[in-house]
Amino acid sequence: MVGRKAGSVADYDYSPALKASGKVWTVESLQAFVTDPGKAVPGNKMDYDGAGAADAKAIAEYLVSLK
């Protein structure tokens, strides 16, 4: 996932905001998105209020570990 452009996986209905964000996922951008999706990508359609800093860090580290 790290190094991939946000909103770029085929056959998934991403929000126009995420597709147009220009983000490339890094540990830091993943952590920011998991912490506060609305702030990280205004206008995204993710129905999630966010996680606390420790949980967001753990989730981002897990996502980084996926190959």
Side-chain angles (χ1 to χ4, degrees), residues 1-66:
M1 180 164 207
V2 169
R4 187 174 71 210
K5 184 177 176 191
S8 65
V9 173
D11 299 326
Y12 188 84
D13 185 26
Y14 296 101
S15 67
L18 189 61
K19 285 191 238 180
S21 72
K23 286 191 179 290
V24 173
W25 293 123
T26 64
V27 174
E28 294 79 13
S29 64
L30 284 166
Q31 190 169 344
F33 188 75
V34 172
T35 299
D36 189 346
K39 182 177 179 185
V41 180
N44 81 77
K45 68 178 185 179
M46 189 166 178
D47 188 18
Y48 174 70
D49 292 332
D55 288 339
K57 183 176 187 233
I59 291 167
E61 288 174 352
Y62 170 73
L63 291 172
V64 167
S65 76
L66 300 176

